[in-house]
Amino acid sequence: QALVFSQVCYPCLTSLTQARVLKRRNKGGKDILDTDVFTVNEDFQHKHFRVKINGMQMKETAEEAKGTNDKVLTDRVHAVDACLVRTMKSRKSLVHSELISSVFTQLKFPVETADIKKRIEILIEREYFRRDDEQQNLYHYVA
């Protein structure tokens, strides 16, 4: 229960203290301790009828950030595939480096070269593209 309290209430207490709605008796630093005592600031006044207090953002753990990044990458796979197919469909044949640079210029989000290479290999397996018989770095669009 203490962990849930600290995750939910500490950011709210920090926001209310920074907005001077609450007073903190022992000012030990920025972090709120279990021993801190808060009182309502009776002298608090603001020129507006309503006061907007910004909530503190919870820090994302490393595994949550990794999970979020994985979900984003799986969502972007379709955009990368569509960009590759669109480029190859318009050009019919393209060298690997030109295909990669074309994808980088068309996509609005950052993408790794390794991810594009994986998507090219998958599209070759699904028979959207094929490699040239003589030049391994040349791709042909299969209609």
Side-chain angles (χ1 to χ4, degrees), residues 64-134:
E64 286 175 338
K66 185 180 182 309
T68 304
N69 287 339
D70 290 343
K71 287 179 185 175
V72 168
L73 287 175
T74 55
D75 290 344
R76 290 180 174 175
V77 162
H78 301 296
V80 174
D81 285 353
C83 183
L84 285 165
V85 170
R86 192 179 328 114
T87 303
M88 288 300 295
K89 192 173 187 179
S90 66
R91 305 251 186 103
K92 302 296 181 203
S93 294
L94 209 58
V95 179
H96 178 79
S97 58
E98 291 177 14
L99 180 60
I100 297 286
S101 64
S102 175
V103 169
F104 278 128
T105 57
Q106 288 182 35
L107 292 177
K108 304 287 186 212
F109 52 86
V111 64
E112 298 288 325
T113 308
D115 294 332
I116 296 174
K117 286 181 182 178
K118 287 178 193 173
R119 298 313 307 166
I120 290 171
E121 291 301 322
I122 289 171
L123 290 170
I124 288 172
E125 288 175 12
R126 291 169 54 190
E127 297 181 357
Y128 281 88
F129 307 156
R130 69 173 176 81
R131 290 188 190 277
D132 191 67
D133 296 331
E134 287 128 26

Side-chain angles (χ1 to χ4, degrees), residues 46-60:
H46 200 274
K47 61 184 176 183
H48 296 292
F49 182 70
R50 290 185 181 185
V51 179
K52 195 173 208 177
I53 298 173
N54 296 331
M56 298 293 290
Q57 290 289 325
M58 295 289 293
K59 290 195 169 114
E60 197 175 35

